[in-house]
């Protein structure tokens, strides 16, 4: 089996196992608790400007992905996006942010579900999230919503993401290592 084929088979297995786990009451309860944590962390977001916030709710999304996989994380992403908007509307609802939540759940699930916690993996995934979601998709959605210049929105985010990158990597390292220990202790 080639390396490319084994990656695809691994992803397919991650999706299958994650989808299967949606039938488990333990998975549903655990995901619900982490969704609630995500919503609480979302309320504690620090506004920097009208178009820029600093938040840590992504940690709960990563926890869902690590524990339950890409399907549960993507589904939870939809739930947290919609409930988060209802609890704390910040402008008009826009489907682009729901798409982001789904794609982030899938990315985190493929990267972390049933995989060893490695600093290099955390850095690479955080870099992908920073470039694709934080510096491209989110400014694109905001530009579409508010008519602001995409370059201006990306420029503001670039500074925030450069400063926040090492902090996020360190937090992800601590959270994922802790979850890994809990998983092993509980034999999950």
């Amino acid at each position: 089996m080639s390396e490319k084929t084994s990656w695809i088979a691994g992803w397919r297995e991650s999706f299958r196992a994650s989808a299967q786990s949606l039938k488990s009451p333990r998975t549903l309860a655990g995901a619900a608790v982490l969704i609630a944590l995500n919503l609480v962390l979302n309320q504690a977001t620090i506004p920097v400007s009208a178009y820029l916030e600093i938040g840590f709710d992504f940690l709960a999304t990563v926890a869902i992905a690590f524990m339950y996989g890409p399907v549960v994380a993507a589904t939870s992403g939809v739930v947290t996006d919609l409930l988060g908007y209802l609890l704390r509307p910040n402008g008009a609802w826009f489907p682009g942010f729901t798409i982001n939540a789904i794609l982030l759940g899938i990315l985190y699930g493929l990267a972390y579900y049933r995989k060893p916690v490695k600093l290099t993996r955390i850095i690479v995934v955080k870099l992908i999230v920073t470039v694709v979601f934080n510096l491209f998709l989110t400014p694109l959605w905001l530009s579409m919503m508010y008519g602001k210049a995409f370059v201006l929105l990306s420029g503001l985010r670039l500074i925030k993401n450069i400063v926040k990158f090492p902090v996020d990597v360190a937090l992800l390292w601590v959270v994922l290592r802790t979850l890994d220990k809990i998983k092993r202790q509980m034999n999950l």
Side-chain angles (χ1 to χ4, degrees):
M1 185 181 291
S2 74
E3 188 174 323
K4 182 180 177 184
T5 307
S6 68
W7 272 61
I8 293 170
W11 287 0
R12 189 178 300 130
E13 175 55 24
S14 289
F15 274 99
R16 189 203 60 71
S18 181
Q20 186 70 23
S21 76
L22 273 173
K23 297 176 184 175
S24 163
R26 181 181 234 174
T27 297
L28 295 175
V33 168
L34 290 168
I35 287 169
L37 176 62
N38 183 300
L39 294 170
V40 168
L41 290 172
N42 183 279
Q43 298 301 309
T45 299
I46 303 163
V48 176
S49 74
Y51 307 105
L52 189 63
E53 300 176 334
I54 295 175
F56 299 98
D57 52 336
F58 73 95
L59 293 169
T61 303
V62 168
I64 293 169
F66 180 80
M67 298 295 287
Y68 307 112
V71 174
V72 177
T75 305
S76 298
V78 172
V79 173
T80 56
D81 181 68
L82 297 176
L83 288 176
Y85 178 76
L86 291 174
L87 293 172
R88 192 176 141 250
N90 192 4
W93 179 81
F94 188 75
F97 297 115
T98 307
I99 292 168
N100 278 9
I102 293 166
L103 293 175
L104 281 165
I106 292 169
L107 173 64
Y108 288 142
L110 291 175
Y112 298 129
Y113 184 55
R114 296 182 174 176
K115 305 265 185 356
V117 177
K118 293 184 179 177
L119 186 57
T120 53
R121 178 178 284 127
I122 292 170
I123 291 169
V124 168
V125 172
K126 184 60 191 166
L127 188 60
I128 292 168
V129 168
T130 298
V131 172
V132 174
F133 293 91
N134 299 352
L135 298 178
F136 179 70
L137 287 177
T138 298
L140 177 64
W141 305 144
L142 290 170
S143 177
M144 290 170 71
M145 288 174 66
Y146 299 114
K148 299 292 180 187
F150 176 83
V151 174
L152 172 68
L153 294 170
S154 290
L156 291 170
R157 293 181 165 281
L158 179 62
I159 296 165
K160 175 198 112 171
N161 281 281
I162 288 171
V163 171
K164 199 168 174 266
F165 189 88
V167 173
D168 288 353
V169 167
L171 288 170
L172 284 165
W173 175 253
V174 170
V175 167
L176 288 171
R177 299 261 313 188
T178 303
L179 287 171
D180 191 42
K181 287 178 186 173
I182 291 168
K183 259 178 113 167
R184 279 189 268 125
Q185 287 173 352
M186 296 180 71
N187 203 21
L188 298 175

